[in-house]
Each structure stands twice: as C-alpha cells, then as structure tokens.
Amino acid sequence: MAVLDVQNLTLSFGESVLFEDVSFDVKEREKCGLIGVNGAGKTSLFKLITGEYTADGGNCFLAKNTRLGYMEQHTCAENRTVYEELISVFDELAQMERELEALSHRLTEGIGDQAENIERQDALTEQFTRDGGLTYKSMTRAALLGLGFTENEFDMPTAKLSGGQRSKLILAKLLLSKADFLLLDEPTNHLDIKAVEWLEGFLKDFAGACLIISHDRYFLDKITDKTVEIENGKCRSYKGNYSMFLQKKEAEQKAIAEKYENDMKEIARIEGIIAQQRQWNREKNIKTAESKEKQIERIKAQLVVPDSKVEKIRFDFTPKAVSGEEVLTVSELKKSFSGKAIFEGVDFKVMRGERVFLLGDNGCGKTTLLKILMQDYAADSGYFKFGANVFTGYFDQVQAKLDLTKSALQEIWTAFPAMTETAVRNALAAFLFKGDDVYKLLSECSGGERARVALLKLMLGRFNFLLLDEPTNHLDAFSREELEKTLLSYTGTLLIVSHDRYFINKLATRILELKSDGVTEYIGNYDDYTERKARLTEQTAAVKAAAPKKVNEYLLKKEQASQLRKAKTRLTKCEAEIEALEAELAEIEQKMTASGFEELMALTAQFDEKTQQRDSLYAEWEALSFQIAESENA
C-alpha cells in the first residue's frame, strides 16, 4: 500500500515551469531517494506534499491516518535546555508517567475508589508500555549522543546553539516524533561521519517510510531501496539505491542516445526531401513538403534528449608545472585555541600524485590544519615545508575569500586580470553561469553558485597541489560526479578534507585520521579504512580478552555470576507468583459481581490485599529485570 501517491504534478513560478506531469509513489516502509540537480524542484515538491505550495496541476495523496514528519515543521523553544527540548517530543508519555505516579500514591494511601484506581492504572500501564514509555528517556539520550551532542551539552540552553547544532536538534525531534512518513531534506548536512552512520542505523530500523533529498550518495546507497529523479522538468522512478539507479540509467541513456541519433538522422533526411520538394515548387510537391513537415513535428514531439546533450559543469584542473617528488612535509605540528589543545604531534608526508584525505571527528582541527598550511593561522610549534616547484591552491568550504560585493564576472576578472572579458565569460559559461547570471552579485548567489565560482578560480590557477576543504558541499550529485572524474585524471597532488564517503571511496589513495595526539595512516579508500579500523578493533578486543585476569577480578566476576543466577531464579518465581495472583484477582472479581453486601465487603478487603501483594511483586520484578539487564550489559 502506498503512503504517498503523486499524480501528474505540475508547478510553475511565473512563466517558468519547474516541473510537469511528475508521478511516483512511496509505499509503506519504503526508503525512497529523491535526486536531481540543484534547482530541479526537489524542495518545492516537498512543499507541495506538505501543502505549503499549491500545484498548477495534478495531485498528491497521503494515505489515511498517515502521520507526516518534515523538518521545517519542527522548531526549537528558546527557554529550554537541549535535553528538555528533545524530550518534549514525548510530552504525552511524560504526562502518563505523572498520572501513574499519582495513581500509585492514591493506591498506597487508600485514596478514592480503589477498584477504579486499579482499573485506570492497568489500562494506563498497558498504553504507557505499548507507546514506548519504558524506553523514551534512553532513546532521547541515544539520539543526542548519536548526533554528536556531548553529555555536557545536554543542559545547554537552546538559545545558545549554533546553526548546525540547532539543525541537528530539529532532526532529532523529527526522528523521535510519532511520524510514520518522514520527508528528509539533506539530513546529513552539519553531521560528521559518526553522526551520519548513527542516522543510517536509525533509518534502517525505522518502521515507517521516508522520502529523502540528499547529495550524499554513500548515505543513499546505505538507506534507499528506490530512487526518484527529477531532471529537465520530468520525473523517472527506479527500483534500487543510488548505485543501482546509475547502472539502470546508464543502460537507459544508451538506448535513448541511440534512438535520439537515429531520430535526428531521420529528421535530417526528411528535411532534405522537403528542401527538394520546395525547390520544384509545384502544387503536388508543396503538399508533399507540408506532409513531411508534419512528420518531423511528430518525431520531435516524442524526441527525448539524452543526458549527454544536457549541459554540465566542465572542470579542468590541468597544472601548469610538475612538482618535485616530495610535495609536503609536516612535522610535530601543534595548535591550541584559548589554551585548549586542538591537536599536537602531527607528522605526515604527501608525495607527488597522491590523493590524500584528512578525516576525523567534527572539531578535531582538520580545517585548522589546512589553514596553517595556507598560513592563515600560525602553528604553536612544529613546522611544515612544501617541496620544489609546488604551486598550492586552496578551496575554503565557507568561501571566506570571495568578495561578496562583486559579481561572478568581477570576482574572476579581478583574480585573473590578464584574461579578456570573452575568456572570463567562456570560463563562467563552463561553470553554468550564462547570460546575465555573470553580473549577479555573489551576496545574492546561493551556496552552490558561490562554490562554483570558488572552484573556477581554483581551476584557472592551474595549481599542482590542491588543498580542498569539503569541495562537494553545495554541489548536486551530478556535479560531484563530474568533479570526481576530473580529479581522478588530475596529474597533480591532492590533500582533501571531506565527509562525502562516496567521494572519498572513489578518489582516496591514502587516508590520514586526525586526532588530538596526531595522525594515523591508512592505505586505500574509505572502504579499506573502515575495514582496517574494524580489524584493529577486533584485534584489540582479542588481546584484552586473552590477557590474564587478576585473582580479585576473577572472584568478583564469579560473585557477579552467582548474583545474576539468583536474580534470574527469583525473577522466574516472581512471574509465577504474579500470574497466580492475577488468576485469584480475576476469580474474586467474578464473585464480587454476584454477592451480597456482607460477602462483597469481605471480597473487597481480600481483593485489596491481593492487589497490594501483586503490586509489590511487580516492583520487585522491575528491580530484578533492571539488575539483570545491567549485569548482562556490563
């Protein structure tokens, strides 16, 4: 059954048609990736689904009782802590918990109608357990930790959160909401690799459906089982993840290209006939020409232009010179801010032709290290040295060195004044700045447009050593692929900071993992890196397991095992006693419905006594369950 059915949607802004006749569906539990170039209309499609926009034509239907979750529907209250804000998602459970505490107090103190209290307590306990009451606090903590919040940040006021932290908190609220159909628009933005991996695990286990806009192709490969592409105003749907989509689309495009070529040849042939017929200029010939023109119109009406004919960014980073063999040497680098050490003891070398990626948790100093190499920051100690004939270019992920008061044309021309205006415009055209786009102020450009200008400046510099800080941020999947192809054939040397695992996997020849005490080297790409790390973790665990135990530790383990056995035995007895008491209570209740006044009073007293015994056993059962869980997880 489909939770979302999109039928022939068309959306325009003024005279510009964003897309038309878009149709697809998302079924229960389906994880669907929505892809397309920047500006294709993906976020606008989300706004049509939520009702924020109204379509020019077509409809989108949500299945009855579907609970829709969309990040923009969630905000952050300013007067709460991070933990309070996230756990507010479970306000209904918290209210149930408070009522259960009040009922327990009323039963203990004998307040009110006890039978009514017991009935309400039983019903509420069942609902509380069913709706996740026993786990909602642990889920809240796990979500915050998984998305990169530290324990110390749980009590931070939401008003003090950075933009990235606020986005992560809103994402956490969405994930923990009771929605069973999630609309996720670039959910991996602002997340480091660890947090993205946590999100992947969460979504894999999520019982509902998702429609996900993302340029993170590795993430899409891990999560999605269906791919919907919006391109050139049209929509196509494919079974499978992003990589499967690429394979299917490549085969489809080959067939489309062959048909396109044959159709164009046929059009050229018919146009030749038309020209010949018009040249003869007789009535019969004119009618034949008109008939052939209609034939051309019919061919053109069904003509599908292959992707190879659609304009894409054309990168070319060919360096102007060959560097020496040793491109960069870094030794014992250390950097601190406000007395707090970010990293120290950083040692590594980069050789000509290598594609080295610098990885690490957010805040470990990756960007700082690149800025030290570019002399934007000074190191506290240590040194670095570039090799012979090395010309270094730097891509800053925030494009801080772009002059936002200038147009794209002025920014490039100022950096390369020897170029003619025609040459600058041609270069900008290769990066999809056409016509009046070249006069658009950078302050008015999107993040993707500024990234393209920064990459163009880098390309025109013809450097032989590129330092790239998150170069794929703001680029759509198709532009990322073009960049990958270019960098794979680049004859210079690369040192790159990136969270884009697909990008790392395709390009990396070596990975440096940056930590506070230095760097660890891994040969190969991202998959090699994760496999090697997993093996190291297993080896470390095996060494620890094989280490001889101290006598007191052995005795402690033995005692803990004994206590665990006793607890399990008592737990089994508790369950049997509770079951017996429940049966007795049911029997008493049945007798109470057909008894006289005196007998009813006696049965009520007996019922209360048995209920207290049962409640006491439940409390013991909960304590034992917690003890066993703690022991087994230790």
Side-chain angles (χ1 to χ4, degrees):
M1 176 182 170
V3 295
L4 173 69
D5 188 10
V6 175
Q7 297 179 0
N8 306 114
L9 275 188
T10 298
L11 182 65
S12 304
F13 291 102
E15 295 182 0
S16 175
V17 178
L18 191 59
F19 52 73
E20 60 182 342
D21 293 328
V22 165
S23 297
F24 66 93
D25 62 23
V26 179
K27 293 183 169 56
E28 289 178 342
R29 300 182 68 89
E30 203 165 44
K31 310 298 189 289
C32 179
L34 180 62
I35 63 171
V37 298
N38 288 337
K42 302 182 296 294
T43 298
S44 296
L45 178 57
F46 270 19
K47 292 181 186 294
L48 287 171
I49 294 168
T50 61
E52 186 176 341
Y53 286 176
T54 301
D56 297 318
N59 290 287
C60 52
F61 303 97
L62 287 171
K64 189 178 179 182
N65 299 324
T66 296
R67 297 186 299 274
L68 182 67
Y70 182 36
M71 274 187 73
E72 290 194 5
Q73 295 170 335
H74 294 265
T75 56
C76 285
E78 300 293 326
N79 57 346
R80 289 174 174 163
T81 65
V82 168
Y83 182 82
E84 288 168 346
E85 178 62 17
L86 183 53
I87 207 165
S88 69
V89 170
F90 301 107
D91 278 347
E92 288 182 17
L93 287 172
Q95 178 59 37
M96 285 187 218
E97 198 167 29
R98 288 190 291 271
E99 188 178 347
L100 282 169
E101 289 171 1
L103 283 166
S104 178
H105 174 71
R106 289 169 70 84
L107 286 166
T108 303
E109 300 298 323
I111 301 170
D113 186 324
Q114 296 300 288
E116 191 177 301
N117 286 339
I118 290 166
E119 185 180 351
R120 175 59 180 161
Q121 184 186 52
D122 288 346
L124 197 59
T125 299
E126 183 183 344
Q127 184 184 354
F128 182 71
T129 305
R130 185 181 64 244
D131 291 351
L134 301 178
T135 58
Y136 79 94
K137 291 178 181 176
S138 60
M139 284 179 67
T140 300
R141 290 188 75 260
L144 288 172
L145 292 170
L147 288 171
F149 288 95
T150 64
E151 293 270 8
N152 293 335
E153 290 170 333
F154 283 16
D155 295 325
M156 180 190 292
T158 56
K160 292 186 178 180
L161 293 177
S162 68
Q165 288 174 317
R166 187 175 291 267
S167 294
K168 286 194 284 188
L169 184 54
I170 291 172
L171 174 61
K173 287 181 70 177
L174 172 63
L175 296 176
L176 296 186
S177 70
K178 290 184 179 179
D180 51 21
F181 178 37
L182 301 179
L183 299 180
L184 301 175
D185 194 346
E186 295 293 352
T188 61
N189 280 2
H190 308 296
L191 302 185
D192 60 19
I193 289 176
K194 278 185 180 178
V196 173
E197 288 172 346
W198 177 88
L199 177 60
E200 285 169 355
F202 183 97
L203 292 177
K204 281 179 184 176
D205 295 336
F206 177 59
C210 302
L211 183 58
I212 306 167
I213 297 172
S214 181
H215 293 142
D216 187 333
R217 297 155 295 169
Y218 201 96
F219 173 74
L220 289 172
D221 269 356
K222 287 274 189 179
I223 298 301
T224 58
D225 45 34
K226 183 176 185 177
T227 303
V228 173
E229 181 191 32
I230 299 180
E231 184 178 53
N232 298 324
K234 301 295 183 183
C235 172
R236 285 175 287 191
S237 182
Y238 302 82
K239 273 289 180 188
N241 63 14
Y242 183 80
S243 291
M244 292 174 70
F245 148 75
L246 285 181
Q247 293 172 9
K248 291 177 180 178
K249 187 179 178 185
E250 184 179 0
E252 181 185 90
Q253 284 297 307
K254 186 178 179 182
I256 288 172
E258 288 175 359
K259 187 174 186 307
Y260 178 82
E261 188 176 340
N262 290 334
D263 285 346
M264 293 305 290
K265 284 179 180 177
E266 180 65 7
I267 287 170
R269 186 186 71 81
I270 296 170
E271 284 176 341
I273 294 171
I274 292 170
Q276 186 183 58
Q277 294 293 323
R278 290 200 179 280
Q279 189 176 2
W280 290 338
N281 201 27
R282 295 174 185 169
E283 185 178 348
K284 181 181 177 182
N285 302 126
I286 292 170
K287 285 182 179 179
T288 300
E290 289 172 349
S291 174
K292 293 295 182 183
E293 283 172 347
K294 289 178 181 178
Q295 191 178 345
I296 287 177
E297 286 173 11
R298 286 194 296 271
I299 294 172
K300 286 183 175 179
Q302 54 81 48
L303 197 65
V304 179
V305 180
D307 284 354
S308 58
K309 303 293 181 182
V310 177
E311 275 200 304
K312 296 177 181 176
I313 295 177
R314 302 191 301 277
F315 296 103
D316 180 6
F317 290 102
T318 305
K320 60 188 171 185
V322 178
S323 71
E325 185 69 23
E326 202 168 282
V327 173
L328 173 67
T329 301
V330 175
S331 180
E332 292 297 319
L333 272 192
K334 177 182 178 181
K335 182 62 181 175
S336 303
F337 287 110
S338 303
K340 181 183 176 183
I342 305 299
F343 55 73
E344 59 185 349
V346 173
D347 287 283
F348 64 89
K349 284 186 177 182
V350 178
M351 308 303 287
R352 186 178 67 215
E354 281 195 299
R355 298 190 294 269
V356 181
F357 278 77
L358 189 63
L359 306 188
D361 295 339
N362 280 352
C364 72
K366 303 183 294 294
T367 294
T368 298
L369 180 53
L370 293 190
K371 287 185 178 292
I372 288 172
L373 297 178
M374 293 305 298
Q375 299 185 6
D376 292 337
Y377 291 163
D380 297 344
S381 60
Y383 74 92
F384 64 90
K385 182 177 74 174
F386 291 105
N389 211 33
V390 172
F391 300 96
T392 305
Y394 174 51
F395 177 84
D396 178 3
Q397 64 168 308
V398 296
Q399 290 100 50
K401 295 187 178 181
L402 293 180
D403 186 344
L404 301 186
T405 65
K406 291 180 178 176
S407 65
L409 180 69
Q410 290 169 330
E411 180 70 18
I412 299 300
W413 212 350
T414 302
F416 302 95
M419 293 177 69
T420 65
E421 181 178 356
T422 301
V424 173
R425 289 181 70 103
N426 287 340
L428 284 165
F431 276 61
L432 307 185
F433 287 92
K434 300 291 184 68
D436 291 341
D437 289 346
V438 301
Y439 301 114
K440 188 176 179 181
L441 292 179
L442 293 178
S443 59
E444 298 171 357
C445 288
S446 67
E449 288 170 327
R450 291 181 197 172
R452 297 207 309 267
V453 171
L455 283 168
L456 176 56
K457 287 177 68 176
L458 197 67
M459 188 183 90
L460 293 172
R462 299 180 62 200
F463 304 105
N464 57 21
F465 183 32
L466 299 180
L467 305 182
L468 308 178
D469 192 358
E470 301 290 357
T472 61
N473 278 8
H474 304 297
L475 295 181
D476 57 51
F478 307 103
S479 297
R480 292 181 186 201
E481 283 161 14
E482 291 302 310
L483 180 61
E484 284 164 2
K485 289 175 190 174
T486 304
L487 293 180
L488 276 169
S489 60
Y490 175 61
T491 57
T493 307
L494 300 168
L495 178 59
I496 305 174
V497 171
S498 180
H499 290 136
D500 186 338
R501 294 164 296 169
Y502 199 97
F503 182 66
I504 301 167
N505 232 18
K506 272 203 169 182
L507 287 174
T509 57
R510 185 157 57 101
I511 287 173
L512 301 175
E513 184 177 41
L514 179 62
K515 294 185 177 178
S516 58
D517 58 352
V519 295
T520 305
E521 178 182 312
Y522 299 86
I523 301 299
N525 63 10
Y526 185 78
D527 285 345
D528 298 324
Y529 158 73
T530 53
E531 184 183 336
R532 177 65 179 147
K533 282 197 75 175
R535 282 207 306 270
L536 287 173
T537 302
E538 288 173 7
Q539 289 168 4
T540 303
V543 169
K544 286 182 178 178
K549 299 282 190 292
K550 294 181 180 178
V551 174
N552 61 347
E553 186 179 350
Y554 168 76
L555 292 174
L556 177 62
K557 292 286 184 185
K558 192 172 180 180
E559 176 61 25
Q560 287 173 341
S562 175
Q563 289 176 359
L564 180 60
R565 283 195 301 273
K566 289 176 182 176
K568 286 182 175 179
T569 301
R570 179 57 193 150
L571 183 72
T572 303
K573 288 182 178 178
C574 267
E575 288 172 347
E577 289 172 19
I578 288 169
E579 189 174 350
L581 279 169
E582 293 282 9
E584 287 180 37
L585 284 167
E587 187 179 342
I588 293 168
E589 276 186 310
Q590 192 172 2
K591 288 180 181 178
M592 288 168 72
T593 59
S595 59
F597 177 76
E598 289 183 3
E599 188 182 3
L600 180 62
M601 293 298 290
L603 286 169
T604 301
Q606 191 179 354
F607 188 94
D608 291 345
E609 182 183 352
K610 297 290 183 184
T611 299
Q612 287 180 8
Q613 290 175 21
R614 182 201 62 185
D615 291 344
S616 177
L617 283 168
Y618 266 128
E620 185 182 357
W621 181 88
E622 287 179 3
L624 287 166
S625 297
F626 180 81
Q627 178 187 339
I628 291 166
E630 287 287 294
S631 298
E632 290 179 338
N633 291 331

